[in-house]
Each structure stands twice: as C-alpha cells, then as structure tokens.
C-alpha cells in the first residue's frame, strides 16, 4: 500500500453503531484499497473490555488495509493526530426523558471531546452521529477553536437515505433513481425532507408517486418517525443503517459531487443561506468539491410550504442552542 495512512477515531466503539461502522472503515471501502487505516477506538472505561472484543474481531477479519488499532478511554489520546473523528458515542434517551434532558446530559461529552480535538488533531474532520447530533456538533465546534468550523458536521444522511428508499418504493423505481433529496434542519422529527426539489430519474417526485397527498402525509410522517418504527419492530434503535449512512456521509464529503447534484449534511450555517442564522449546525443541500472543501447549494427554490417547515426546524435548533448556551465557548 503506497498511500499515507488515514487515522480514524470512532467514539462509542463498543456500541451497536460502532460494531457495524468499524468493520466497513477497516475493510478499505471508505478510503480505498491502497490506503492503510489506523483505528482509534474511544470508549467509556466500563466498555473498554467490550471494545477490546470488537478489536479482536476486526483483527480476525484480516483486512489488508487495517494496519493499527488502539483502544482508549480518554479523548486526548484517542484523537491524537486523527484525520477523521466519528463521534458516535453518547448517552441514549432513557424512559421518561425529555429531549432537553438528553441535550443537557450529552452536552458535556462534546465539550470535552471538542477540547480534546483542539489539542490533539490539526488536520481533522469531525462527524457527529450521537444525538442530538446537530447541537452536539455545535458544542464540539465551539470548544475546538483551533480547527476551522467548517470541519464539523452532523449526520442527516440516514434521513436522506430513508426518504429516498420510501419514495423509490412508492414510485416503483430503484433507489438509485432518486436524487437531490435534501434534508433541511435538525436531525429530529422537525426535519424537512425536501421532496419538492428531489427527482425520480428525470421526473419530479410528485409526478413519480402520483400526487402530493402521500408526500405531505404518510411520507413526511414516515421519514420523521422511521427511527421509532425501527425501535418498535427490532427492540433496538437503528444501527447498521446508521453506520452505513455515516460511511455515505464521509464518502460524499471526500468525493466531488456530480454537477447538478447534492446531498444532505448538517454544517455550520454561513448566515447567508436561506435565512438560517449564522453558526447553527443546520442540514442543507451540500455539494462537495472533492478537495476537502464544500459549499451550501444556493438557489434551491422553496415554496411557502417548504419555507414554513424550514422555519419550524430552525426555531427548534435555536431553542436547543439556548439550552446549551453555557457550553458554547466560541
Ligand atoms: P449504543 O448505546 O449501542 O452505544 C453507544 C456507545 O457509546 C456505548 O458503548 C457507550 O459506552 C459509548 N459512550 C457513551 N458515552 C461516551 C463517551 N463520552 N465517550 C466514548 N464513548 C461513549 O448506541 P448506538 O446505537 O451505537 O447509538 C449511538 C448514538 O447514535 C446515539 O446517540 C444515537 O441516538 C445516535 N444515532 C444517531 C443517528 C443519526 O442519524 N444521526 C441515527 C442512529 C442513532 O440513533
């Protein structure tokens, strides 16, 4: 293997998403068959043993691309020199817990991890998966002054993939036919999966599914509540699909987005796009330049319906920012 190794930290490495994500990163699928991968697994002390078990299995796969695995129980050492930090680990919502309790409980994790990234990594991209991922990314970004803000993102790719799959099924076409399905806003039930600007092949999605009623009704609710439906059916939250979407997220940022296309990711708002206040970690249609840079796609037409939905999800993110305001150092 000729290339320089890529160092990837994964937090929550012993969790269910970690169990799926790590193997796909190690296999060479993400960074290529000629790029060595060095994994840095971060876990809580109580789960280090389980992470060791996952590491043993990773070794047993015999992936030629996997050249190193280290396991850590502190973020400073885990993030040293990493190129990608996939921040998956956080506390799940317990019974009777409100969203704001979860935000308050998980916020401090991302203060510590933001500070650790600041100290330990100079060429890093951080992707937050752990919920509430937009606001957790906001906290990490504010506590990591040395790393440019546009290196932080939060994952809404699972929502995009869910939305595309639902439309493809309804329209009776392959999921590969559905493109430009942007998720706007928060990774929560307030998100807006923008079916108005998406395409099914060369058709509008509305034409492909036979009208708007299903899109405004079952589709919207279906995407927003898919996570809960999976918990109800499986008894556990989405894991392999979340890991797969995290892989898609990283790949989409690394590859140049084809002309006229876009994908969804929550990134810091520049304050000049679609009326979203500057600095919020907001999911937009994104186009990657393939050289580490990306842009928020401009000029996407928004109907009154879309505008209302985007305003609602913006309001929710502003409220979340208010809940964690003492944790925002920048
Ligand atoms: P698990 O509970 O299976 O695993 C989480 C792991 O994180 C545990 O092993 C735990 O020990 C570890 N952990 C907790 N605090 C940590 C810390 N401070 N440092 C390092 N490790 C820590 O959860 P899993 O199903 O893997 O989900 C992980 C997160 O992803 C949750 O917050 C979940 O809500 C979120 N999700 C986000 C999605 C998205 O689309 N953005 C979708 C899937 C998932 O719901």
């Amino acid at each position: 293997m000729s290339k320089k190794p890529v160092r990837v930290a994964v937090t929550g490495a012993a969790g269910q998403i970690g169990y799926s994500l790590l193997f796909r990163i190690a296999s060479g699928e993400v960074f290529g068959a000629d790029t060595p991968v060095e994994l840095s697994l971060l876990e809580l002390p109580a789960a280090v043993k389980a992470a060791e078990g996952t590491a043993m299995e990773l070794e047993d796969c015999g992936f030629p691309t996997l050249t190193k695995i280290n396991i850590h129980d502190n973020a400073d050492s885990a993030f040293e020199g990493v190129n990608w930090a996939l921040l998956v680990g956080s506390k799940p919502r317990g019974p009777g817990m409100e969203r704001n309790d979860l935000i308050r409980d998980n916020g401090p994790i991302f203060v510590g991890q933001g500070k650790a990234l600041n100290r330990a990594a100079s060429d890093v991209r951080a992707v937050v998966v752990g919920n509430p991922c937009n606001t957790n990314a906001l906290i990490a970004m504010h506590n990591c002054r040395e790393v440019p803000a546009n290196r932080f993102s939060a994952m809404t790719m699972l929502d995009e993939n869910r939305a595309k799959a639902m439309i493809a099924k309804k329209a009776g076409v392959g999921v590969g036919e559905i493109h430009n399905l942007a998720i706007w806003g928060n990774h929560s039930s307030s998100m807006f999966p923008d079916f108005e600007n998406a395409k099914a092949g060369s058709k509008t999605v509305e034409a492909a599914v036979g009208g708007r009623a299903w899109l405004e009704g079952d589709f919207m609710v279906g995407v927003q509540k898919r996570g809960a439906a999976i918990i109800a059916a499986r008894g556990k939250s989405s894991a392999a699909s979340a890991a797969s979407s995290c892989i898609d997220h990283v790949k989409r940022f690394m590859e140049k987005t084809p002309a006229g296309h876009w994908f969804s990711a929550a990134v810091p708002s520049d304050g000049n796009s679609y009326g979203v206040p500057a600095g919020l970690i907001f999911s937009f249609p994104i186009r990657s330049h393939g050289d580490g840079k990306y842009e928020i796609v401009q000029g996407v037409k928004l109907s009154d319906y879309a505008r209302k939905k985007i305003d609602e999800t913006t309001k929710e993110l502003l409220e979340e920012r208010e809940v964690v305001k003492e944790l925002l150092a920048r």
Side-chain angles (χ1 to χ4, degrees):
M1 267 173 285
S2 51
K3 290 203 178 155
K4 215 175 132 207
V6 58
R7 288 188 176 181
V8 185
V10 176
T11 74
Q16 18 158 38
I17 295 176
Y19 192 69
S20 191
L21 181 61
L22 286 161
F23 293 83
R24 293 187 57 187
I25 295 167
S27 72
E29 178 188 345
V30 184
F31 300 103
D34 55 352
T35 305
V37 174
E38 298 181 2
L39 286 175
S40 181
L41 278 46
L42 177 64
E43 254 303 346
L44 294 175
V48 161
K49 185 102 189 125
E52 283 168 4
T54 304
M56 285 153 78
E57 283 204 72
L58 280 160
E59 283 171 9
D60 295 350
C61 289
F63 295 124
T65 38
L66 180 60
T67 53
K68 205 184 269 182
I69 313 176
N70 286 315
I71 302 169
H72 305 266
D73 64 4
N74 87 80
D76 283 337
S77 59
F79 292 158
E80 203 173 330
V82 296
N83 306 110
W84 287 88
L86 308 180
L87 309 183
V88 180
S90 68
K91 208 166 156 184
R93 193 186 319 203
M97 226 173 147
E98 297 295 329
R99 189 171 171 86
N100 282 354
D101 298 331
L102 183 74
I103 293 170
R104 276 190 214 97
D105 264 24
N106 278 325
I109 296 177
F110 294 86
V111 171
Q113 293 186 354
K115 290 194 165 129
L117 277 172
N118 211 18
R119 285 189 289 266
S122 56
D123 176 26
V124 67
R125 289 189 155 63
V127 180
V128 181
V129 174
N131 279 322
C133 62
N134 299 54
T135 294
N136 289 341
L138 182 79
I139 296 168
M141 180 182 90
H142 273 260
N143 286 281
C144 191
R145 292 198 183 114
E146 301 299 320
V147 174
N150 63 6
R151 300 288 189 90
F152 286 83
S153 61
M155 184 176 94
T156 51
M157 185 59 74
L158 178 57
D159 307 303
E160 176 180 327
N161 283 335
R162 286 168 170 168
K164 283 177 172 169
M166 278 182 209
I167 289 170
K169 202 166 169 184
K170 180 76 174 174
V173 300
V175 72
E177 294 284 296
I178 314 298
H179 58 96
N180 291 9
L181 191 308
I183 303 294
W184 294 81
N186 202 3
H187 169 68
S188 76
S189 57
S190 77
M191 85 185 88
F192 174 50
D194 184 0
F195 56 82
E196 293 181 334
N197 287 294
K199 286 274 156 53
S202 56
K203 289 184 182 173
T204 65
V205 162
E206 193 176 326
V209 302
R212 202 176 158 95
W214 177 80
L215 289 164
E216 282 193 24
D218 289 354
F219 167 73
M220 287 288 287
V221 177
V223 179
Q224 290 166 341
K225 300 276 162 71
R226 183 69 164 184
I230 286 168
I231 295 173
R234 209 173 86 87
K236 290 180 186 166
S237 58
S238 325
S241 57
S244 192
S245 298
C246 183
I247 302 275
D248 288 345
H249 178 112
V250 172
K251 280 173 143 174
R252 296 283 160 79
F253 273 99
M254 286 174 46
E255 291 161 2
K256 186 170 164 46
T257 310
H261 283 238
W262 57 71
F263 64 93
S264 312
V267 298
S269 171
D270 56 13
N272 299 313
S273 302
Y274 307 101
V276 178
L280 276 190
I281 302 282
F282 196 93
S283 184
F284 286 107
I286 301 291
R287 186 177 294 131
S288 167
H289 297 184
D291 58 0
K293 298 204 175 73
Y294 69 83
E295 66 194 51
I296 298 170
V297 177
Q298 300 298 317
V300 175
K301 288 208 172 70
L302 299 176
S303 67
D304 290 347
Y305 174 83
R307 190 66 260 176
K308 186 163 169 280
K309 299 279 178 204
I310 290 171
D311 289 347
E312 282 165 15
T313 194
T314 304
K315 182 167 172 280
E316 183 180 63
L317 279 168
L318 286 169
E319 285 163 6
E320 289 188 15
R321 182 162 80 177
E322 191 57 26
V323 174
V324 300
K325 65 174 186 248
E326 324 76 64
L327 305 179
L328 305 180
R330 173 141 62 186

